Amino acid sequence: MIQKICLFVLVFIFSPAVFSSSDFSIVVSSLEKNKNKQNQKELNQVKDDLLSIRKLATAYVDLANNLSSKDCNKLKKLYNLITTKKTEFTLYYDPESDYDEEGDSESNDKKFGCKTLSDDKINYILLPKLIGKGVSLYKTAILGGDIESISILLNRFKSQEIPYSYFIPIASMEDENLNDNPYANFLLGQLYIDDYFFTYNPEKAITFFDQAKDIQHHDLWYFLAFAKIEDVIAAQHQSINHFYLRDNVTEDWSEHADAINQIEEKLEQNDFLSISKLSYYYADEEKLNKAIEYFEKACELEASRACDLYEQQLNQPNKNKIYSLLRKFDKNNPDIKVSIDIAKWYEDLGKNLTAIDYYSYVVYKDPELLLKIAKLFKKANIKSSGELNDALIKTYTKYDSYVDNADIKYKIFLLYYPSMKHDDPTYEVNKIGLEWLEKAAKAGSAEARLAMAERFKTGSYLPKDYSKALYWYGNYCSISVKIGFPFEEFCEPFLYGNKEVFDLLAKANSGDKNAQYKLGEKIVALGQLYEIGLYYLALAADQGHEKAKILYLINKDRHWINFSG
C-alpha cells in the first residue's frame, strides 16, 4: 500500500538546493523536475526522506495561502506548470471538477486582479491543486512513518490553512486497506478523538490506537490514556448485566495489577512515558481518579496534542464538572456525596444504567438510594422484561436487607408473580414468591393481607383453607380504612366487634358447633365472604345444629358447596 501511494512521489527530485529557496522556488523546482523520471534507487531514497516530503508539502500549502495580487507573474507560471501536468494531481480531491467556466461557481475567495489570469482560475484551479498536492504529500509522509506530519496536517486543518473540503483523502484512509500501517491507524485514532473531524467516538479511537502500538513514540500512550478516560466517561452501560450491588467490598481483581506495580516501583519523577502508561492502565480499570492524576502529570512533563485535546474538554463546563468529580472519586473507598453527584450527572444525560452504577457504590451508606435505583431501572429502556424484573428483585431484596418495609416485600412478590405457575405448588418460584407475600402480610401490607385471604379462599397458588382466609380478611380489614383504603362491606364484622369474630373463629376451628353457627351467621350475608359463611354453617349443620341447617338451606342457592350433611 505504501508503494502504491508513493508512486506519485516518483516525479520529484529532492536536491539540497530545493529547500534553500522560497516556497515558490521549491514548488516550481519540484514541478519542473517532474519532467525527469527516477529509477528505483532514487525512489527508495525518496521513501526514506520523510522530512523532505514534509517540507515539500509545507511549501505547497504555504505558497497557496500566501500568494497575493503582487504575484501575478508567479501565479501565471504556476498555472501553466500545473495545467500541463494534470496527471500529477489526480491522487486527491480535485475542486476543479466543481468549477464552472460559465460563471455559475461561487464568488471568488480572493481578489487578485491579474490581467493574464482570472481570479476564478486562481481560486478554483490553481490554489486548490497546490493545497491538494500538499495534503497528498503530508499523507505520503504519514504513511511512511512521519508522526510530525500528523500533528502539522491536523493543526493546519483546524487553523483553516487547509480548507475542510480537502479532508476527503485523509478521511478515506479508513476505507483503504491500511490495517498493517500503524501510522495510518494512529492518524485515524486522532480523528475520532477530536470532534472537529469525525463524530466524537473515543471507543473507536482506542481501536485504531491499539492497532498502532508498534509505533515507538510517547504520543501514542498519551492518546491511548486520554481516549480511554474519555471512553469510560462517555460510556452508557447497555447491558443490565454490568450492574451489581456492592457490599462495601473492594474489588481485588485487576487486569493490569502486575504492570502497574512494576512501573510504580521503579517510577522516576520525570519518566513521562511510564506515567502516561499508568494513566492508561488505571483508566482501563475505571479508576479514573488515578488515571486523571497521572495523565495531568504526564502533560506537565511533555507536550502532546492529546494534552491540548484534554484542555479543550476542560473548557466545556459540563465536562469540567465531571472531571472535577472523578478526580475525587475513589471506587475502593467512595465518598457518598461525590458518588451521588457523579450519578446525578449521568442521570441528567439520560444514562440511567451508568447512574445506577455510581449510586450502587454507596447504597450501604444510604439504603434509600436503592429505591432511586429501582426507579432508574424502570426508566432505562430495558427491552427484556425478564431482565428488568430480575434487576428490580435484586434491588428490592437488597433494600429489604437494610430496611423492614412491608410494601417493598409486597413489590418483590408482585415481581415473582408473573413467573409463578398456578397448577404447580412445588415450583420453586411459587415457593419464593409466596414467602415474600406472607412476609409482606405479616409486616403489615394491607394489599398482601387481602391477597393472602383471597388465595386461601379460592385455593389459587395456596391450598384452600377458609379458616386462614377469614383470618387474613380480618387482618386486612383491621388496617385498610386506617391507611385510606375504601370501606368494604365484608369488613363490617371486623370493624365492630373485631375481637368477637376472632374468638368465634378460634372456637369454630376447634369444633364448637355453636361458634361455627354464629360465625357463619355473621358473615354469610356479606358478599365476598358468603362462601366462607356457608362453609361454617355446613360444619355446624353436620354436627346437628338445627338453626345452622335452616340458615344453610336458605343461603345455599347462592353458592354450591360439598359437605357431608
Side-chain angles (χ1 to χ4, degrees):
M1 179 55 66
I2 296 293
Q3 290 177 345
K4 180 179 178 182
I5 296 177
C6 283
L7 286 178
F8 75 90
V9 184
L10 190 64
V11 297
F12 295 104
I13 296 177
F14 295 104
S15 64
V18 169
F19 299 108
S20 61
S21 57
S22 68
D23 294 331
F24 176 78
S25 299
I26 294 172
V27 171
V28 169
S29 177
S30 69
L31 290 171
E32 289 177 339
K33 290 183 178 181
N34 279 345
K35 298 174 184 177
N36 302 316
K37 293 187 177 180
Q38 295 172 300
N39 56 33
Q40 185 62 42
K41 180 179 179 182
E42 290 172 322
L43 173 61
N44 291 336
Q45 291 174 343
V46 169
K47 287 171 63 178
D48 292 335
D49 195 356
L50 299 177
L51 176 61
S52 296
I53 298 174
R54 186 208 309 163
K55 287 183 176 180
L56 184 57
T58 300
Y60 269 96
V61 175
D62 284 348
L63 182 62
N65 277 281
N66 295 322
L67 286 169
S68 69
S69 59
K70 298 178 182 179
D71 302 311
C72 287
N73 291 332
K74 292 179 180 180
L75 288 165
K76 181 64 176 178
K77 183 173 184 177
L78 287 168
Y79 181 81
N80 290 335
L81 281 170
I82 286 175
T83 53
T84 58
K85 301 175 180 298
K86 287 190 175 183
T87 57
E88 308 303 331
F89 295 86
T90 59
L91 297 179
Y92 61 94
Y93 169 65
D94 186 1
E96 184 179 2
S97 62
D98 296 331
Y99 171 62
D100 184 352
E101 290 278 5
E102 301 299 323
D104 291 335
S105 59
E106 297 178 4
S107 60
N108 299 331
D109 294 333
K110 294 182 182 179
K111 299 293 183 182
F112 289 91
C114 295
K115 296 179 180 179
T116 56
L117 194 63
S118 71
D119 286 351
D120 279 351
K121 287 183 177 180
I122 297 172
N123 283 306
Y124 295 105
I125 298 177
L126 174 58
L127 299 186
K129 288 185 178 295
L130 290 174
I131 294 175
K133 176 61 80 172
V135 172
S136 294
L137 288 167
Y138 278 129
K139 180 178 176 180
T140 300
I142 291 167
L143 291 173
D146 183 34
I147 288 181
E148 186 66 24
S149 285
I150 296 178
S151 58
I152 291 174
L153 176 61
L154 298 185
N155 286 335
R156 300 201 82 163
F157 270 118
K158 296 184 82 170
S159 67
Q160 298 183 348
E161 292 173 293
I162 300 176
Y164 196 81
S165 58
Y166 298 85
F167 191 65
I168 293 174
I170 304 305
S172 65
M173 292 175 72
E174 186 175 358
D175 299 324
E176 298 175 16
N177 185 22
L178 296 172
N179 292 335
D180 58 345
N181 188 301
Y183 300 97
N185 287 313
F186 188 40
L187 170 60
L188 290 169
Q190 293 189 44
L191 298 181
Y192 278 104
I193 200 64
D194 187 340
D195 55 14
Y196 178 83
F197 297 102
F198 290 167
T199 300
Y200 199 65
N201 191 331
E203 183 180 12
K204 196 163 186 177
I206 291 168
T207 300
F208 284 113
F209 291 142
D210 280 337
Q211 293 170 350
K213 280 187 175 178
D214 290 341
I215 293 176
Q216 300 300 315
H217 196 280
H218 77 276
D219 233 21
L220 176 66
W221 283 99
Y222 277 76
F223 274 103
L224 268 170
F226 173 61
K228 193 62 189 180
I229 292 170
E230 282 287 291
D231 182 46
V232 175
I233 293 174
Q236 157 68 298
H237 299 320
Q238 300 296 328
S239 172
I240 201 168
N241 295 326
H242 181 92
F243 170 75
Y244 56 95
L245 290 168
R246 303 167 179 85
D247 288 298
N248 194 23
V249 177
T250 57
E251 301 164 67
D252 296 325
W253 181 86
S254 170
E255 181 181 356
H256 304 292
D258 291 340
I260 289 173
N261 290 337
Q262 289 176 13
I263 293 176
E264 289 187 332
E265 285 176 3
K266 302 176 182 179
L267 187 63
E268 296 182 3
Q269 187 174 359
N270 295 322
D271 186 357
F272 59 85
L273 181 58
S274 294
I275 292 172
S276 61
K277 287 182 179 180
L278 284 172
S279 177
Y280 169 76
Y281 291 142
Y282 276 117
D284 198 38
E285 297 192 351
E286 298 187 10
K287 297 180 178 178
L288 294 188
N289 59 324
K290 298 291 291 183
I292 295 170
E293 176 187 345
Y294 278 121
F295 185 79
E296 291 179 343
K297 283 184 179 179
C299 287
E300 290 174 1
L301 296 171
E302 182 73 13
S304 168
R305 185 168 174 271
C307 300
D308 296 335
L309 295 176
Y310 171 67
E311 288 298 324
Q312 289 179 24
Q313 293 299 311
L314 293 185
N315 288 333
Q316 302 176 35
N318 204 33
K319 287 297 288 289
N320 193 304
K321 178 180 179 180
I322 191 63
Y323 267 103
S324 298
L325 290 168
L326 290 169
R327 285 189 194 95
K328 301 179 237 179
F329 180 75
D330 181 353
K331 67 189 301 184
N332 291 328
N333 185 26
D335 176 89
I336 185 169
K337 185 179 184 307
V338 173
S339 186
I340 289 174
D341 285 346
I342 294 173
K344 287 180 177 177
W345 189 85
Y346 282 106
E347 193 178 340
D348 289 342
L349 294 178
K351 296 184 176 183
N352 295 309
L353 291 180
T354 311
I356 286 170
D357 197 44
Y358 279 97
Y359 279 127
S360 71
Y361 277 103
V362 288
V363 294
Y364 70 96
K365 294 182 178 180
D366 183 3
E368 296 301 316
L369 290 173
L370 287 159
L371 301 183
K372 176 77 170 178
I373 287 172
K375 289 180 180 178
L376 289 178
F377 271 130
K378 295 173 185 177
K379 292 171 58 179
N381 195 27
I382 298 167
K383 295 181 180 178
S384 168
S385 58
E387 283 190 348
L388 176 58
N389 265 22
D390 289 344
L392 292 174
I393 286 171
K394 189 175 183 180
T395 304
Y396 286 134
T397 302
K398 184 71 175 179
Y399 181 80
D400 184 73
S401 70
Y402 290 112
V403 181
D404 185 15
N405 185 300
D407 292 333
I408 294 298
K409 291 176 175 30
Y410 184 63
K411 283 184 178 180
I412 296 173
F413 159 71
L414 291 177
L415 290 167
Y416 277 108
Y417 183 71
S419 301
M420 293 167 62
K421 295 182 179 179
H422 182 272
D423 57 351
D424 186 0
T426 64
Y427 185 47
E428 188 63 26
V429 176
N430 284 34
K431 293 179 180 179
I432 298 171
L434 292 172
E435 283 176 5
W436 281 107
L437 178 61
E438 185 174 3
K439 288 178 182 178
K442 289 180 177 179
S445 167
E447 292 167 305
R449 290 178 178 184
L450 185 58
M452 288 284 287
E454 291 174 344
R455 273 150 184 72
F456 276 123
K457 184 182 77 172
T458 62
S460 174
Y461 298 100
L462 289 169
K464 184 178 286 190
D465 189 323
Y466 289 135
S467 173
K468 290 181 179 178
L470 197 59
Y471 170 81
W472 285 113
Y473 275 123
N475 276 273
Y476 165 78
C477 292
S478 66
I479 63 171
S480 61
V481 175
K482 295 178 183 177
I483 62 175
F485 279 38
F487 175 76
E488 300 282 359
E489 181 188 15
F490 65 80
C491 283
E492 185 174 349
F494 299 100
L495 297 177
Y496 306 100
N498 184 301
K499 185 175 184 302
E500 178 187 357
V501 174
F502 282 106
D503 287 344
L504 285 173
L505 178 60
K507 291 177 182 179
N509 289 338
S510 68
D512 186 325
K513 64 180 181 180
N514 289 323
Q516 291 168 348
Y517 166 70
K518 289 181 180 179
L519 183 59
E521 181 186 34
K522 273 184 174 293
I523 63 176
V524 75
L526 302 174
Q528 196 159 336
L529 304 184
Y530 75 89
E531 180 181 337
I532 300 175
L534 282 176
Y535 168 74
Y536 279 104
L537 288 175
L539 290 179
D542 280 347
Q543 295 191 72
H545 197 291
E546 295 300 325
K547 289 184 178 181
K549 290 180 181 181
I550 295 170
L551 191 56
Y552 173 75
L553 290 172
I554 293 172
N555 289 279
K556 71 173 184 175
D557 290 338
R558 296 177 59 198
H559 184 74
W560 180 87
I561 187 170
N562 283 324
F563 72 102
S564 60

